[in-house]
Amino acid sequence: MNTPTSPNSAPATPDTLASPDPNLNPHVHKEVENPMNNAPQPLYFDCDTGIDDSMALAYLLASPEISLVGIGTVSGNVDSTRAARNTLALLELAGRPEIPVAVGEHDPLAGTFPGGVPHIHGVNGIGDIEVADAQAAPEAESGPEMIVRLARAHEGRLRLLTTGPLTNIAAALKLDPELPSLVQDITIMGGAGLVSGNVTPVAEANIYNDPEAANAVLDAPWDITLVPLDVTLSHTLEESHRTQLLESERPMARALGEMLDVYFAFYVQTFGRPCCAAHDPLAAAVATGGVVASLAPRVHVTVDDTDGPGRGQTICDLRGAHQGFPDQPGARCRVVLAADTDVAAHLTERMLAL
């Protein structure tokens, strides 16, 4: 990563985190609304299961606010088939083998999958730790088909969370152009608003790996929350958090702690110490309402999908900063720039609770 940052050093807080009053700041991302007597809301998770996706999965499984009704995999950190294998194995380890997993798109909309990032996530995508293969197999339907089916089954209530390239979501939009009207919203871990990228000077990995798909998703008429590097690099999991996971009696928590050995080693080049950014689990926390953004302006966002040096850049119109970020007419994308809570403590507490 090219962006200098420092860890959030706020004191640890309980699982119910104190957050700014959203009624006092129109740009605070409000808590998840639950219209059906506080019943957990259905959520579909789209991922390229590497180490931070695994943390996001654990967070979701431990979150009473949502019901994880399906998972689709996409090529990114690893290929989509390997991501499904990782996901199924982790679900079984966590005691939740009943959650359906579908293999999604292998290649981006343009070109072919260039391969994973073993220097970041290990050869197997989960830090090269050994986890027994699950007895369950992937669903017969594809990831995009699962999205459309679940959107129809939970019309108006389904939430989408993505922590990998947006290829499956773009493919689902082609299958059913009415999809944006069928889901409640979509939360995307990806992009870089005011900070540098982590693949190129301007591009973040999830967007860079399929900018054509990202443009299709951002252009669709639905409620979008973008969780970019601006906020995920500002919150780090440290050795103290990893130690808590390693010392847990719960198999999933211990596995996460073991995975973080590889992830922490990679991030030494960014932070100068063993730790890691909270990319995907922070997006999961924002999607469920466990973490409330303190600054999240609603602005126009597009992606550079040309073949020049700007390919993959997430272009967020943040020129309203000097006027308090008034909502831009017609804008549908809320860009999370800050979260004033001890994110790492919250994430660790949830992962330990699984």
Side-chain angles (χ1 to χ4, degrees):
M1 302 277 178
N2 299 321
T3 307
T5 185
S6 58
N8 186 300
S9 58
T13 58
D15 194 50
T16 303
L17 293 174
S19 302
D21 184 349
N23 296 317
L24 301 179
N25 184 343
H27 305 299
V28 168
H29 184 59
K30 296 186 179 181
E31 294 281 0
V32 174
E33 295 180 0
N34 242 330
M36 296 180 65
N37 299 321
N38 292 320
Q41 285 194 276
L43 183 140
Y44 164 86
F45 182 35
D46 201 84
C47 53
D48 55 342
T49 309
I51 296 170
D52 56 340
D53 305 82
S54 300
M55 290 191 287
L57 174 62
Y59 183 94
L60 294 172
L61 293 174
S63 295
E65 301 92 346
I66 60 97
S67 173
L68 190 54
V69 294
I71 302 172
T73 60
V74 66
S75 296
N77 297 323
V78 291
D79 67 78
S80 57
T81 300
R82 176 77 229 195
R85 179 180 172 184
N86 290 346
T87 304
L88 287 164
L90 292 171
L91 286 171
E92 186 157 306
L93 186 66
R96 297 294 304 277
E98 78 283 0
I99 296 174
V101 176
V103 179
E105 301 295 294
H106 179 271
D107 294 318
L109 294 186
T112 58
F113 174 54
V117 283
H119 61 294
I120 302 176
H121 294 272
V123 174
N124 69 356
I126 51 174
D128 292 328
I129 69 167
E130 293 185 7
V131 179
D133 285 340
Q135 295 184 9
E139 300 296 302
E141 65 185 345
S142 70
E145 290 169 339
M146 175 181 279
I147 294 169
V148 171
R149 176 179 61 79
L150 291 173
R152 291 288 178 181
H154 303 280
E155 185 170 348
R157 299 195 68 235
L158 183 69
R159 312 178 75 91
L160 306 181
L161 168 65
T162 72
T163 59
L166 293 166
T167 318
N168 285 339
I169 314 303
L173 284 168
K174 289 184 179 180
L175 286 177
D176 191 344
E178 295 183 2
L179 184 63
S181 67
L182 300 175
V183 305
Q184 181 166 326
D185 56 24
I186 179 171
T187 299
I188 299 167
M189 190 280 122
L194 295 171
V195 302
S196 302
N198 60 354
V199 176
T200 75
V202 297
E204 178 274 333
N206 288 338
I207 305 300
Y208 180 82
N209 285 336
D210 198 341
E212 285 80 10
N215 254 339
V217 173
L218 289 167
D219 284 346
W222 45 17
D223 184 6
I224 303 170
T225 297
L226 190 69
V227 184
L229 298 182
D230 303 65
V231 65
T232 64
L233 280 169
S234 298
H235 297 274
T236 55
L237 277 78
E238 303 288 339
E239 285 284 5
S240 60
H241 305 112
R242 188 169 82 97
T243 298
Q244 291 180 62
L245 295 170
L246 287 170
E247 293 178 349
S248 172
E249 296 181 356
R250 301 175 187 268
M252 182 67 164
R254 287 200 308 273
L256 293 172
E258 292 170 3
M259 291 180 207
L260 286 175
D261 185 53
V262 169
Y263 209 43
F264 275 26
F266 170 77
Y267 272 101
V268 170
Q269 66 182 309
T270 302
F271 297 107
R273 66 184 186 281
C275 66
C276 74
H279 301 306
D280 295 352
L282 177 50
V286 170
T288 62
V291 167
V292 178
S294 55
L295 180 62
R298 190 182 297 274
V299 299
H300 292 286
V301 180
T302 190
V303 171
D304 185 344
D305 57 9
T306 65
D307 291 328
R311 181 171 175 80
Q313 180 178 12
T314 309
I315 304 169
C316 305
D317 188 353
L318 298 172
R319 292 174 292 178
H322 301 293
Q323 300 180 38
F325 286 117
D327 283 350
Q328 296 174 356
R332 297 182 301 273
C333 185
R334 185 181 296 108
V335 180
V336 178
L337 298 176
D340 295 338
T341 57
D342 189 341
V343 168
H346 172 65
L347 297 178
T348 303
E349 187 170 2
R350 278 285 171 101
M351 290 187 288
L352 288 169
L354 178 61

